[in-house]
Amino acid sequence: MCGIFGVIANNDNVKDQIFDGLRRLEYRGYDSSGIATINNDQINCIKSQGNLDQLQKKLINEDLLGNVGIGHTRWATHGVPNEANAHPHITDEVAVVHNGIIENFSLLKNQISETGINFKSETDTEAIAHLITLYLKSGMGSYEAIRATTEDIKGSYALAIIVRSEPNKLYAVRKGSPLAIGSSDSKNYIGSDGYSLGNYCNEVTYLKDGDIAIIKNDAFEIFDHQNEFINRKSQIIDKTVTLAEKGAFKHFMSKEIHEQPSVIQDSISHYINNEDLTVNLPKFPFNITNLKNITLVACGSSYYSGLVAREWFEKLARVKVDVEIASEFRYREAPMDSSGLTVFISQSGETADTLAALKHCKKLNQKTISIVNVPNSSMCRNSDSSLKIFAGPEIGVASTKAFTCQLVVLASLAIHIGRINGNLSDDDENNYVKSLLDVPRLISNVLDQEEDLIKIVKELNPIKNALYLGRGQMYPVALEGALKLKEISYIHAEGYPAGEMKHGPIALLEKGLPVIIGAPSFNLFDKTASNLYEVIARDGNVLLITDQEGLNHLGDTTKKIKSFIVDEANIITAPFIYTIPYQLFAYHTALLKGTDVDQPRNLAKSVTVE
Ligand code: F6R
């Protein structure tokens, strides 16, 4: 995690551009931040605990002049989020910002301390600043000192470095964490992603692992891991993802929840031919007929979208599916069918564990597809084929529209595979596609009932714990609902398969415990209703999300519960329709509690460390 931004110019003051770049990277971490520049043969640095608003207040009173500078917005790994641990970390000679983890930092810290150096922070990054400085003092040039340091450090890192004696250079280093160079007329930039560079540049050059770049205001050179000069191809920045404003909404999360009908429409229009009601996917560079097994790999909400999709692949395409949590899968050494298909699902396209799993699968000769939101992200670039979800920038840390747009692409892929392997007829395909085309309207209908849901939230609050139950696809939707509540309101919530409740979680039931149950009438309704009765029998406070037919089934029991009625659903539309009330529930609960919805504590949007 952590965002890095750097600028080198001719003679401009770069502070404001660095700050602007950091704003675009705040999704990567926001517990502290800082900027360092070189001016008059001296490194100057301003840092602050807290998000960028806190840094901005400090910068107002500071000149922080300089034609070259680096900035950082942090998600703490080593050391608490305070000003001392905020980046940049500086010595008399260098300033360093870092995204990643230095695994051998304790050892390095001990060795450095033996030379008489006192550490000012608890971070692993400070060791890098001291190492470079020690090499400089031993007589090495800056580039050699940086390269020698990369040979000492183990782990993953993207580094931006400025050297006091070289105000005409900016150094960028990459191993395992993303970093890109952007160019414009007389300035060059570095940023953790293309989005941060999009305001200033049209083209971006992504560094590869082992690269060190020496950047001047009008040119840059990249040297690879063998210290050879290398020409990396530049790419055009996708400017469609450069604008993200809250507009009239109080939070990005609320805006993104409400954007779903339109972004899902966008996503659908890329993958569905609505004239002949067929799925229209780009051609894959490999054959996907006769697949026996598909593995879906992801983390967090993206993993839950994989769990939802499993039922589509199984029922529509009759293909066996394994859904894997990337951080577990990558180390499990699971045997894989050679030339099987593995699909990686990620909003950011940068999640370290998912990316590592992708690299692992490529070594195992898997056909790889990534389903991502951020264009040109590492996963796009590293997979054989990439399907974009077209959700637009998702800024709220809790994923909402990316989750539902991932579902659009996964449903399209399942229908497509079902069609080519002969499990679905033309008519079947047309019918499933029709359902998918109806999703934006159905989501709008749920959003129109937001006031009803706010009323229910007020009646149920204050909430200390909550249980979310569901069967079939409603189980991963329940997991997603519980995760949303945990993330932004810090309320403990568990998602469970409804039928599993009696195997343990039922012990949690006590008077008034909110139990939120999603149960569309078309699928296993009576089974879920039995679990609902078990909750009522133990005085739980049920909120049932169902359709009118489902409610009718319950007869008088409806008087004992709260209910939120949605449109009738089917296997395609249900996960979409039922996800929206859960998103709204979490959002309005957090609003009541007064937590920071868009920047919840301890989280970051892009998890680029293990
Ligand atoms: C939850 C959430 C996270 C992400 C997870 C994976 O609201 O946003 O659980 O889903 O960190 O991130 P991506 O999808 O970027 O790989």
PDB file of all heavy atoms in Angstrom, residues 7-10 12 17 181-190 197-204 215-220 237 239:
ATOM      1  N   VAL A   7       8.209  14.638  -8.401  1.00  0.00           N
ATOM      2  CA  VAL A   7       8.259  15.533  -9.573  1.00  0.00           C
ATOM      3  C   VAL A   7       9.674  16.085  -9.709  1.00  0.00           C
ATOM      4  O   VAL A   7      10.304  16.421  -8.698  1.00  0.00           O
ATOM      5  CB  VAL A   7       7.286  16.738  -9.418  1.00  0.00           C
ATOM      6  CG1 VAL A   7       7.281  17.590 -10.688  1.00  0.00           C
ATOM      7  CG2 VAL A   7       5.871  16.291  -9.079  1.00  0.00           C
ATOM      8  N   ILE A   8      10.146  16.173 -10.945  1.00  0.00           N
ATOM      9  CA  ILE A   8      11.381  16.926 -11.194  1.00  0.00           C
ATOM     10  C   ILE A   8      11.119  17.911 -12.326  1.00  0.00           C
ATOM     11  O   ILE A   8      10.598  17.538 -13.386  1.00  0.00           O
ATOM     12  CB  ILE A   8      12.596  16.007 -11.470  1.00  0.00           C
ATOM     13  CG1 ILE A   8      13.838  16.868 -11.694  1.00  0.00           C
ATOM     14  CG2 ILE A   8      12.369  15.056 -12.643  1.00  0.00           C
ATOM     15  CD1 ILE A   8      15.135  16.164 -11.357  1.00  0.00           C
ATOM     16  N   ALA A   9      11.442  19.170 -12.062  1.00  0.00           N
ATOM     17  CA  ALA A   9      11.136  20.218 -13.035  1.00  0.00           C
ATOM     18  C   ALA A   9      12.414  21.008 -13.302  1.00  0.00           C
ATOM     19  O   ALA A   9      13.464  20.745 -12.704  1.00  0.00           O
ATOM     20  CB  ALA A   9      10.058  21.119 -12.479  1.00  0.00           C
ATOM     21  N   ASN A  10      12.274  21.983 -14.175  1.00  0.00           N
ATOM     22  CA  ASN A  10      13.410  22.805 -14.496  1.00  0.00           C
ATOM     23  C   ASN A  10      13.733  23.751 -13.347  1.00  0.00           C
ATOM     24  O   ASN A  10      14.751  23.644 -12.687  1.00  0.00           O
ATOM     25  CB  ASN A  10      13.060  23.580 -15.767  1.00  0.00           C
ATOM     26  CG  ASN A  10      14.290  23.973 -16.499  1.00  0.00           C
ATOM     27  OD1 ASN A  10      15.372  23.747 -15.975  1.00  0.00           O
ATOM     28  ND2 ASN A  10      14.133  24.527 -17.681  1.00  0.00           N
ATOM     29  N   ASP A  12      10.681  25.136 -11.493  1.00  0.00           N
ATOM     30  CA  ASP A  12       9.403  25.382 -10.817  1.00  0.00           C
ATOM     31  C   ASP A  12       9.461  24.928  -9.373  1.00  0.00           C
ATOM     32  O   ASP A  12      10.323  24.170  -8.994  1.00  0.00           O
ATOM     33  CB  ASP A  12       8.301  24.518 -11.451  1.00  0.00           C
ATOM     34  CG  ASP A  12       7.789  25.133 -12.711  1.00  0.00           C
ATOM     35  OD1 ASP A  12       8.420  26.070 -13.195  1.00  0.00           O
ATOM     36  OD2 ASP A  12       6.762  24.641 -13.196  1.00  0.00           O
ATOM     37  N   GLN A  17       2.240  20.290  -6.999  1.00  0.00           N
ATOM     38  CA  GLN A  17       1.968  19.138  -7.863  1.00  0.00           C
ATOM     39  C   GLN A  17       2.135  17.832  -7.093  1.00  0.00           C
ATOM     40  O   GLN A  17       1.378  16.885  -7.296  1.00  0.00           O
ATOM     41  CB  GLN A  17       2.905  19.150  -9.069  1.00  0.00           C
ATOM     42  CG  GLN A  17       2.470  20.165 -10.113  1.00  0.00           C
ATOM     43  CD  GLN A  17       3.193  19.951 -11.430  1.00  0.00           C
ATOM     44  OE1 GLN A  17       4.309  19.447 -11.451  1.00  0.00           O
ATOM     45  NE2 GLN A  17       2.556  20.350 -12.506  1.00  0.00           N
ATOM     46  N   ILE A 181       6.662   6.047 -14.437  1.00  0.00           N
ATOM     47  CA  ILE A 181       7.221   7.367 -14.769  1.00  0.00           C
ATOM     48  C   ILE A 181       6.299   8.019 -15.784  1.00  0.00           C
ATOM     49  O   ILE A 181       5.883   7.388 -16.760  1.00  0.00           O
ATOM     50  CB  ILE A 181       8.627   7.235 -15.395  1.00  0.00           C
ATOM     51  CG1 ILE A 181       9.554   6.471 -14.458  1.00  0.00           C
ATOM     52  CG2 ILE A 181       9.205   8.604 -15.739  1.00  0.00           C
ATOM     53  CD1 ILE A 181      10.920   6.139 -15.075  1.00  0.00           C
ATOM     54  N   GLY A 182       5.968   9.269 -15.547  1.00  0.00           N
ATOM     55  CA  GLY A 182       5.160  10.017 -16.513  1.00  0.00           C
ATOM     56  C   GLY A 182       5.961  11.205 -17.018  1.00  0.00           C
ATOM     57  O   GLY A 182       6.725  11.807 -16.266  1.00  0.00           O
ATOM     58  N   SER A 183       5.787  11.528 -18.301  1.00  0.00           N
ATOM     59  CA  SER A 183       6.570  12.627 -18.865  1.00  0.00           C
ATOM     60  C   SER A 183       5.664  13.709 -19.417  1.00  0.00           C
ATOM     61  O   SER A 183       4.623  13.415 -19.995  1.00  0.00           O
ATOM     62  CB  SER A 183       7.419  12.123 -20.032  1.00  0.00           C
ATOM     63  OG  SER A 183       8.234  11.095 -19.605  1.00  0.00           O
ATOM     64  N   SER A 184       6.079  14.960 -19.248  1.00  0.00           N
ATOM     65  CA  SER A 184       5.419  16.043 -19.982  1.00  0.00           C
ATOM     66  C   SER A 184       6.527  16.941 -20.509  1.00  0.00           C
ATOM     67  O   SER A 184       7.695  16.583 -20.397  1.00  0.00           O
ATOM     68  CB  SER A 184       4.433  16.788 -19.094  1.00  0.00           C
ATOM     69  OG  SER A 184       5.139  17.606 -18.204  1.00  0.00           O
ATOM     70  N   ASP A 185       6.188  18.115 -21.017  1.00  0.00           N
ATOM     71  CA  ASP A 185       7.186  18.910 -21.749  1.00  0.00           C
ATOM     72  C   ASP A 185       8.529  19.073 -21.043  1.00  0.00           C
ATOM     73  O   ASP A 185       9.541  18.609 -21.498  1.00  0.00           O
ATOM     74  CB  ASP A 185       6.607  20.288 -22.062  1.00  0.00           C
ATOM     75  CG  ASP A 185       5.606  20.154 -23.187  1.00  0.00           C
ATOM     76  OD1 ASP A 185       5.580  19.059 -23.790  1.00  0.00           O
ATOM     77  OD2 ASP A 185       4.860  21.109 -23.433  1.00  0.00           O
ATOM     78  N   SER A 186       8.524  19.741 -19.899  1.00  0.00           N
ATOM     79  CA  SER A 186       9.826  19.993 -19.276  1.00  0.00           C
ATOM     80  C   SER A 186       9.878  19.419 -17.862  1.00  0.00           C
ATOM     81  O   SER A 186      10.674  19.856 -17.051  1.00  0.00           O
ATOM     82  CB  SER A 186      10.072  21.492 -19.227  1.00  0.00           C
ATOM     83  OG  SER A 186       8.996  22.064 -18.510  1.00  0.00           O
ATOM     84  N   LYS A 187       8.984  18.480 -17.611  1.00  0.00           N
ATOM     85  CA  LYS A 187       8.965  17.891 -16.266  1.00  0.00           C
ATOM     86  C   LYS A 187       8.790  16.395 -16.385  1.00  0.00           C
ATOM     87  O   LYS A 187       8.156  15.908 -17.322  1.00  0.00           O
ATOM     88  CB  LYS A 187       7.762  18.422 -15.469  1.00  0.00           C
ATOM     89  CG  LYS A 187       7.840  19.853 -15.089  1.00  0.00           C
ATOM     90  CD  LYS A 187       6.628  20.201 -14.243  1.00  0.00           C
ATOM     91  CE  LYS A 187       6.502  21.701 -14.127  1.00  0.00           C
ATOM     92  NZ  LYS A 187       5.276  22.110 -13.480  1.00  0.00           N
ATOM     93  N   ASN A 188       9.302  15.697 -15.410  1.00  0.00           N
ATOM     94  CA  ASN A 188       9.013  14.269 -15.307  1.00  0.00           C
ATOM     95  C   ASN A 188       8.467  13.962 -13.925  1.00  0.00           C
ATOM     96  O   ASN A 188       8.714  14.696 -12.962  1.00  0.00           O
ATOM     97  CB  ASN A 188      10.272  13.440 -15.586  1.00  0.00           C
ATOM     98  CG  ASN A 188      10.497  13.280 -17.075  1.00  0.00           C
ATOM     99  OD1 ASN A 188       9.534  13.102 -17.825  1.00  0.00           O
ATOM    100  ND2 ASN A 188      11.743  13.364 -17.503  1.00  0.00           N
ATOM    101  N   TYR A 189       7.703  12.876 -13.872  1.00  0.00           N
ATOM    102  CA  TYR A 189       6.970  12.542 -12.652  1.00  0.00           C
ATOM    103  C   TYR A 189       7.154  11.067 -12.347  1.00  0.00           C
ATOM    104  O   TYR A 189       7.385  10.258 -13.247  1.00  0.00           O
ATOM    105  CB  TYR A 189       5.460  12.766 -12.859  1.00  0.00           C
ATOM    106  CG  TYR A 189       5.088  14.165 -13.249  1.00  0.00           C
ATOM    107  CD1 TYR A 189       5.212  14.595 -14.568  1.00  0.00           C
ATOM    108  CD2 TYR A 189       4.621  15.061 -12.298  1.00  0.00           C
ATOM    109  CE1 TYR A 189       4.869  15.884 -14.928  1.00  0.00           C
ATOM    110  CE2 TYR A 189       4.271  16.351 -12.648  1.00  0.00           C
ATOM    111  CZ  TYR A 189       4.398  16.758 -13.968  1.00  0.00           C
ATOM    112  OH  TYR A 189       4.059  18.042 -14.304  1.00  0.00           O
ATOM    113  N   ILE A 190       6.999  10.711 -11.080  1.00  0.00           N
ATOM    114  CA  ILE A 190       6.809   9.294 -10.771  1.00  0.00           C
ATOM    115  C   ILE A 190       5.570   9.162  -9.894  1.00  0.00           C
ATOM    116  O   ILE A 190       5.249  10.057  -9.103  1.00  0.00           O
ATOM    117  CB  ILE A 190       8.022   8.642 -10.065  1.00  0.00           C
ATOM    118  CG1 ILE A 190       8.504   9.492  -8.905  1.00  0.00           C
ATOM    119  CG2 ILE A 190       9.119   8.356 -11.016  1.00  0.00           C
ATOM    120  CD1 ILE A 190       9.670   8.874  -8.180  1.00  0.00           C
ATOM    121  N   LEU A 197      -0.813  10.061 -12.264  1.00  0.00           N
ATOM    122  CA  LEU A 197      -0.018  10.802 -13.257  1.00  0.00           C
ATOM    123  C   LEU A 197      -0.899  11.433 -14.333  1.00  0.00           C
ATOM    124  O   LEU A 197      -0.443  12.292 -15.085  1.00  0.00           O
ATOM    125  CB  LEU A 197       0.986   9.843 -13.906  1.00  0.00           C
ATOM    126  CG  LEU A 197       2.024   9.253 -12.934  1.00  0.00           C
ATOM    127  CD1 LEU A 197       2.720   8.048 -13.542  1.00  0.00           C
ATOM    128  CD2 LEU A 197       3.052  10.310 -12.556  1.00  0.00           C
ATOM    129  N   GLY A 198      -2.166  10.998 -14.365  1.00  0.00           N
ATOM    130  CA  GLY A 198      -3.045  11.387 -15.461  1.00  0.00           C
ATOM    131  C   GLY A 198      -3.313  12.876 -15.575  1.00  0.00           C
ATOM    132  O   GLY A 198      -3.647  13.375 -16.647  1.00  0.00           O
ATOM    133  N   ASN A 199      -3.164  13.618 -14.487  1.00  0.00           N
ATOM    134  CA  ASN A 199      -3.402  15.060 -14.532  1.00  0.00           C
ATOM    135  C   ASN A 199      -2.321  15.799 -15.298  1.00  0.00           C
ATOM    136  O   ASN A 199      -2.537  16.899 -15.779  1.00  0.00           O
ATOM    137  CB  ASN A 199      -3.425  15.599 -13.095  1.00  0.00           C
ATOM    138  CG  ASN A 199      -4.721  16.284 -12.798  1.00  0.00           C
ATOM    139  OD1 ASN A 199      -5.632  16.273 -13.618  1.00  0.00           O
ATOM    140  ND2 ASN A 199      -4.809  16.873 -11.634  1.00  0.00           N
ATOM    141  N   TYR A 200      -1.129  15.191 -15.365  1.00  0.00           N
ATOM    142  CA  TYR A 200       0.014  15.919 -15.896  1.00  0.00           C
ATOM    143  C   TYR A 200       0.609  15.325 -17.163  1.00  0.00           C
ATOM    144  O   TYR A 200       1.370  15.981 -17.856  1.00  0.00           O
ATOM    145  CB  TYR A 200       1.124  15.984 -14.831  1.00  0.00           C
ATOM    146  CG  TYR A 200       0.642  16.616 -13.556  1.00  0.00           C
ATOM    147  CD1 TYR A 200       0.492  15.868 -12.399  1.00  0.00           C
ATOM    148  CD2 TYR A 200       0.304  17.966 -13.532  1.00  0.00           C
ATOM    149  CE1 TYR A 200       0.022  16.455 -11.237  1.00  0.00           C
ATOM    150  CE2 TYR A 200      -0.162  18.558 -12.371  1.00  0.00           C
ATOM    151  CZ  TYR A 200      -0.309  17.793 -11.231  1.00  0.00           C
ATOM    152  OH  TYR A 200      -0.786  18.369 -10.094  1.00  0.00           O
ATOM    153  N   CYS A 201       0.330  14.070 -17.416  1.00  0.00           N
ATOM    154  CA  CYS A 201       1.040  13.400 -18.515  1.00  0.00           C
ATOM    155  C   CYS A 201       0.048  12.650 -19.394  1.00  0.00           C
ATOM    156  O   CYS A 201      -1.031  12.277 -18.937  1.00  0.00           O
ATOM    157  CB  CYS A 201       2.012  12.349 -17.985  1.00  0.00           C
ATOM    158  SG  CYS A 201       2.833  12.805 -16.485  1.00  0.00           S
ATOM    159  N   ASN A 202       0.454  12.406 -20.620  1.00  0.00           N
ATOM    160  CA  ASN A 202      -0.361  11.580 -21.502  1.00  0.00           C
ATOM    161  C   ASN A 202       0.152  10.152 -21.569  1.00  0.00           C
ATOM    162  O   ASN A 202      -0.589   9.245 -21.878  1.00  0.00           O
ATOM    163  CB  ASN A 202      -0.361  12.159 -22.922  1.00  0.00           C
ATOM    164  CG  ASN A 202      -1.088  13.482 -22.935  1.00  0.00           C
ATOM    165  OD1 ASN A 202      -2.084  13.642 -22.228  1.00  0.00           O
ATOM    166  ND2 ASN A 202      -0.573  14.440 -23.688  1.00  0.00           N
ATOM    167  N   GLU A 203       1.452  10.026 -21.291  1.00  0.00           N
ATOM    168  CA  GLU A 203       2.054   8.692 -21.419  1.00  0.00           C
ATOM    169  C   GLU A 203       2.723   8.289 -20.129  1.00  0.00           C
ATOM    170  O   GLU A 203       3.216   9.137 -19.378  1.00  0.00           O
ATOM    171  CB  GLU A 203       3.119   8.714 -22.517  1.00  0.00           C
ATOM    172  CG  GLU A 203       2.506   8.743 -23.867  1.00  0.00           C
ATOM    173  CD  GLU A 203       3.506   8.400 -24.942  1.00  0.00           C
ATOM    174  OE1 GLU A 203       4.679   8.187 -24.621  1.00  0.00           O
ATOM    175  OE2 GLU A 203       3.075   8.342 -26.100  1.00  0.00           O
ATOM    176  N   VAL A 204       2.764   6.995 -19.911  1.00  0.00           N
ATOM    177  CA  VAL A 204       3.355   6.509 -18.677  1.00  0.00           C
ATOM    178  C   VAL A 204       4.228   5.287 -18.991  1.00  0.00           C
ATOM    179  O   VAL A 204       3.909   4.506 -19.889  1.00  0.00           O
ATOM    180  CB  VAL A 204       2.211   6.202 -17.683  1.00  0.00           C
ATOM    181  CG1 VAL A 204       1.403   5.021 -18.119  1.00  0.00           C
ATOM    182  CG2 VAL A 204       2.697   6.000 -16.293  1.00  0.00           C
ATOM    183  N   ILE A 215      16.015   9.917 -13.282  1.00  0.00           N
ATOM    184  CA  ILE A 215      15.057  10.790 -13.969  1.00  0.00           C
ATOM    185  C   ILE A 215      15.515  12.241 -13.871  1.00  0.00           C
ATOM    186  O   ILE A 215      15.799  12.737 -12.767  1.00  0.00           O
ATOM    187  CB  ILE A 215      13.652  10.609 -13.325  1.00  0.00           C
ATOM    188  CG1 ILE A 215      13.270   9.124 -13.341  1.00  0.00           C
ATOM    189  CG2 ILE A 215      12.602  11.441 -14.056  1.00  0.00           C
ATOM    190  CD1 ILE A 215      12.154   8.775 -12.374  1.00  0.00           C
ATOM    191  N   LYS A 216      15.615  12.879 -15.029  1.00  0.00           N
ATOM    192  CA  LYS A 216      15.895  14.322 -15.038  1.00  0.00           C
ATOM    193  C   LYS A 216      14.625  15.008 -15.493  1.00  0.00           C
ATOM    194  O   LYS A 216      13.654  14.346 -15.849  1.00  0.00           O
ATOM    195  CB  LYS A 216      17.044  14.626 -15.994  1.00  0.00           C
ATOM    196  CG  LYS A 216      18.333  13.979 -15.548  1.00  0.00           C
ATOM    197  CD  LYS A 216      19.462  14.417 -16.449  1.00  0.00           C
ATOM    198  CE  LYS A 216      20.760  13.810 -15.953  1.00  0.00           C
ATOM    199  NZ  LYS A 216      21.822  13.960 -16.937  1.00  0.00           N
ATOM    200  N   ASN A 217      14.620  16.330 -15.539  1.00  0.00           N
ATOM    201  CA  ASN A 217      13.372  17.006 -15.891  1.00  0.00           C
ATOM    202  C   ASN A 217      12.993  16.777 -17.360  1.00  0.00           C
ATOM    203  O   ASN A 217      11.825  16.841 -17.716  1.00  0.00           O
ATOM    204  CB  ASN A 217      13.437  18.503 -15.590  1.00  0.00           C
ATOM    205  CG  ASN A 217      14.351  19.230 -16.550  1.00  0.00           C
ATOM    206  OD1 ASN A 217      15.531  18.953 -16.597  1.00  0.00           O
ATOM    207  ND2 ASN A 217      13.787  20.134 -17.338  1.00  0.00           N
ATOM    208  N   ASP A 218      13.963  16.475 -18.207  1.00  0.00           N
ATOM    209  CA  ASP A 218      13.653  16.354 -19.632  1.00  0.00           C
ATOM    210  C   ASP A 218      13.965  14.970 -20.215  1.00  0.00           C
ATOM    211  O   ASP A 218      13.836  14.756 -21.414  1.00  0.00           O
ATOM    212  CB  ASP A 218      14.427  17.426 -20.422  1.00  0.00           C
ATOM    213  CG  ASP A 218      15.918  17.377 -20.124  1.00  0.00           C
ATOM    214  OD1 ASP A 218      16.328  16.531 -19.284  1.00  0.00           O
ATOM    215  OD2 ASP A 218      16.667  18.171 -20.703  1.00  0.00           O
ATOM    216  N   ALA A 219      14.383  14.033 -19.385  1.00  0.00           N
ATOM    217  CA  ALA A 219      14.718  12.689 -19.906  1.00  0.00           C
ATOM    218  C   ALA A 219      14.816  11.718 -18.738  1.00  0.00           C
ATOM    219  O   ALA A 219      14.926  12.144 -17.588  1.00  0.00           O
ATOM    220  CB  ALA A 219      16.068  12.734 -20.628  1.00  0.00           C
ATOM    221  N   PHE A 220      14.747  10.450 -19.064  1.00  0.00           N
ATOM    222  CA  PHE A 220      15.034   9.464 -18.011  1.00  0.00           C
ATOM    223  C   PHE A 220      15.665   8.222 -18.624  1.00  0.00           C
ATOM    224  O   PHE A 220      15.495   7.938 -19.814  1.00  0.00           O
ATOM    225  CB  PHE A 220      13.771   9.115 -17.208  1.00  0.00           C
ATOM    226  CG  PHE A 220      12.674   8.462 -18.004  1.00  0.00           C
ATOM    227  CD1 PHE A 220      12.673   7.083 -18.216  1.00  0.00           C
ATOM    228  CD2 PHE A 220      11.634   9.224 -18.533  1.00  0.00           C
ATOM    229  CE1 PHE A 220      11.655   6.481 -18.934  1.00  0.00           C
ATOM    230  CE2 PHE A 220      10.611   8.631 -19.257  1.00  0.00           C
ATOM    231  CZ  PHE A 220      10.616   7.259 -19.464  1.00  0.00           C
ATOM    232  N   ILE A 237      -1.991   6.977 -21.152  1.00  0.00           N
ATOM    233  CA  ILE A 237      -2.803   6.915 -19.921  1.00  0.00           C
ATOM    234  C   ILE A 237      -4.282   6.979 -20.293  1.00  0.00           C
ATOM    235  O   ILE A 237      -4.696   7.783 -21.133  1.00  0.00           O
ATOM    236  CB  ILE A 237      -2.470   8.098 -18.983  1.00  0.00           C
ATOM    237  CG1 ILE A 237      -1.034   7.990 -18.509  1.00  0.00           C
ATOM    238  CG2 ILE A 237      -3.421   8.144 -17.793  1.00  0.00           C
ATOM    239  CD1 ILE A 237      -0.606   9.089 -17.558  1.00  0.00           C
ATOM    240  N   LYS A 239      -7.397   8.407 -19.808  1.00  0.00           N
ATOM    241  CA  LYS A 239      -7.853   9.621 -19.127  1.00  0.00           C
ATOM    242  C   LYS A 239      -9.280   9.504 -18.604  1.00  0.00           C
ATOM    243  O   LYS A 239      -9.737  10.338 -17.843  1.00  0.00           O
ATOM    244  CB  LYS A 239      -7.778  10.829 -20.070  1.00  0.00           C
ATOM    245  CG  LYS A 239      -6.385  11.176 -20.505  1.00  0.00           C
ATOM    246  CD  LYS A 239      -5.728  12.109 -19.516  1.00  0.00           C
ATOM    247  CE  LYS A 239      -4.327  12.463 -20.008  1.00  0.00           C
ATOM    248  NZ  LYS A 239      -3.681  13.462 -19.185  1.00  0.00           N
TER     249      LYS A 239
END
